[in-house]
């Protein structure tokens, strides 16, 4: 009886406080940390631009011409480029980086434009698609799939904690196919919010679902009911807070910045955005990282099951 009273209250409290603490840490003061920008102009103009921006917030580099700057923006190597070696300065941005980033880049270059005495003409090289005017669908789509993976782990553990691995794999695959197909149908087909091609979107979303479900299954297999707290904090809370669905990694606190490159949420968000807007940036990495998050947990579950059978045999 005491366990039934204390454990649910404790788990809910830990999850709720962790959510507040981590999201507040990530977004209470979202300023950039060395956000990469570029300037096209003479050495003197570039140095003047460097002196005008905050070096702790922006990493400014020189590019040889407007074509190289445009390519760097389209490949997401820089988040904005100011071309000043022309009669009319030009500001090259990618609206697909979200409105907050566009505003940050625009404000960063304002002192430089004031020095030039002429406002820059803005060119959006990767605008958001009409079906996603605020650029948040990828974030919320990924959030939903990760949350589904967490709930899969809860339901799977509650229904059959000792399920054989082959049946567990069938269950994981079934969840991944259904979640991937329905999510892709919604965000690509119905709303045209992520029109990167149904099969690519389906593959990435389904693999994200598989990775989250497999990881949740492992944590529940190892830690029992405590796996619910670990899965919620690790995948749902930390994973989504650092997914870069709302702001790039450069806006996160320094200790959080490496996480989008290794957690399933972050690599999927980057891959979907890259496939749609930035010349497949991050797609290849996503297949590898999500594959690791899928295969390793299933292999560890297989190993634990084998050890458990051996102990029963020798008992």
């Amino acid at each position: 009886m005491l366990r039934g009273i204390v454990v649910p209250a404790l788990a809910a409290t830990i999850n709720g406080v962790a959510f507040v603490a981590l999201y507040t840490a990530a977004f209470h003061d979202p300023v950039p940390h060395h956000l990469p920008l570029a300037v096209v102009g003479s050495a003197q103009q570039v140095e003047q631009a460097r002196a005008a921006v905050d070096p702790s917030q922006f990493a400014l580099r020189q590019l040889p011409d407007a074509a190289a700057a445009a390519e760097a923006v389209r490949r997401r190597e820089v988040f904005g480029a100011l071309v000043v070696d022309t009669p009319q300065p030009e500001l090259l941005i990618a609206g697909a980086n979200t409105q907050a980033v566009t505003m940050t880049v625009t404000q960063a270059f304002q002192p430089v434009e004031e020095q030039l005495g002429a406002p820059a003409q803005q060119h959006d090289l990767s605008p958001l698609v009409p079906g996603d005017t605020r650029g948040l669908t990828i974030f919320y789509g990924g959030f939903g799939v990760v949350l589904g993976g967490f709930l899969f782990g809860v339901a799977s553990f509650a229904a059959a904690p000792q399920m054989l691995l082959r049946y567990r794999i069938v269950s994981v695959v079934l969840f991944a196919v259904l979640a991937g197909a329905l999510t892709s149908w919604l965000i690509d087909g119905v709303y045209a919010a992520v029109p990167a091609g149904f099969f690519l979107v389906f593959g990435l979303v389904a693999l994200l679902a598989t990775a989250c479900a497999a990881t949740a299954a492992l944590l529940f297999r190892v830690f029992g009911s405590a796996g619910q707290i670990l899965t919620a904090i690790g995948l749902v809370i930390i994973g989504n807070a650092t997914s870069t669905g709302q702001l790039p990694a450069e806006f996160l606190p320094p200790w959080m910045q490496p996480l989008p490159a290794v957690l399933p949420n972050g690599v999927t968000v980057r891959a979907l955005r890259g496939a749609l807007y930035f010349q497949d940036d991050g797609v290849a990495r996503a297949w590898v990282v999500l594959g690791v998050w899928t295969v390793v947990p299933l292999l560890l579950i297989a190993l634990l099951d084998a050890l458990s059978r051996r102990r029963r045999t020798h008992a």
Side-chain angles (χ1 to χ4, degrees):
M1 178 64 70
L2 182 61
R3 181 179 180 182
I5 295 172
V6 173
V7 171
L10 185 62
T13 301
I14 292 173
N15 288 338
V17 171
F19 185 95
V20 172
L22 290 165
Y23 267 79
T24 303
F27 300 119
H28 79 285
D29 185 24
V31 295
H33 305 278
H34 307 292
L35 189 75
L37 302 175
V39 173
V40 176
S42 66
Q44 181 180 359
Q45 289 172 322
V46 173
E47 287 306 313
Q48 288 175 341
R50 282 203 178 98
V53 302
D54 186 341
S56 68
Q57 295 189 9
F58 304 101
L60 208 64
R61 60 175 166 133
Q62 183 177 13
L63 291 176
D65 51 45
E71 183 67 10
V73 172
R74 290 192 182 100
R75 297 178 66 87
R76 219 186 186 208
E77 295 171 359
V78 299
F79 287 84
L82 185 64
V83 182
V84 298
D85 63 349
T86 57
Q88 172 67 54
E90 298 180 37
L91 177 59
L92 309 180
I93 60 164
N97 286 318
T98 72
Q99 294 174 342
V101 175
T102 297
M103 184 181 299
T104 298
V105 172
T106 302
Q107 292 174 347
F109 281 126
Q110 278 181 349
V112 184
E113 295 174 39
E114 291 172 1
Q115 288 179 355
L116 296 171
Q121 185 177 0
Q122 193 171 107
H123 299 286
D124 191 345
L125 304 182
S126 297
L128 290 163
V129 296
D132 186 26
T133 57
R134 293 189 179 273
L136 295 176
T137 298
I138 291 174
F139 168 70
Y140 285 114
F143 194 116
V145 172
V146 172
L147 180 61
F150 165 69
L151 295 175
F152 170 87
V154 174
S156 179
F157 178 75
Q162 301 301 322
M163 183 189 296
L164 294 175
L165 179 62
R166 58 179 176 269
Y167 298 125
R168 193 176 299 280
I169 291 175
V170 171
S171 183
V172 168
V173 171
L174 177 62
F175 161 67
V177 170
L178 290 174
L182 292 173
T183 301
S184 303
W185 172 68
L186 285 170
I187 65 177
D188 184 5
V190 175
Y191 297 108
V194 190
F198 174 82
F199 290 104
L200 176 60
V201 176
F202 166 73
L204 288 168
V205 173
L207 193 52
L208 171 64
T210 309
C212 292
T215 302
L218 173 64
L219 292 174
F220 277 91
R221 172 71 173 78
V222 174
F223 299 103
S225 58
Q228 178 176 343
I229 297 175
L230 297 175
T231 306
I233 293 176
L235 291 180
V236 180
I237 300 175
I238 296 179
N240 284 300
T242 63
S243 70
T244 70
Q246 297 172 302
L247 289 169
E250 288 82 359
F251 283 78
L252 294 171
W255 69 270
M256 285 185 171
Q257 289 181 14
L259 299 180
V262 295
L263 293 179
N265 326 48
V267 297
T268 305
V269 166
R270 177 177 174 178
L272 288 171
R273 184 175 283 123
L276 183 56
Y277 297 113
F278 298 109
Q279 302 180 10
D280 290 333
D281 170 60
V283 174
R285 180 181 179 85
W287 296 124
V288 175
V289 174
L290 293 174
V292 170
W293 278 92
T294 297
V295 173
V296 171
L298 293 177
L299 288 177
L300 290 175
I301 292 173
L303 176 62
L304 292 171
D305 288 349
L307 293 174
S308 179
R309 287 194 300 269
R310 179 175 296 181
R311 283 196 298 267
R312 287 197 301 268
T313 301
H314 293 287

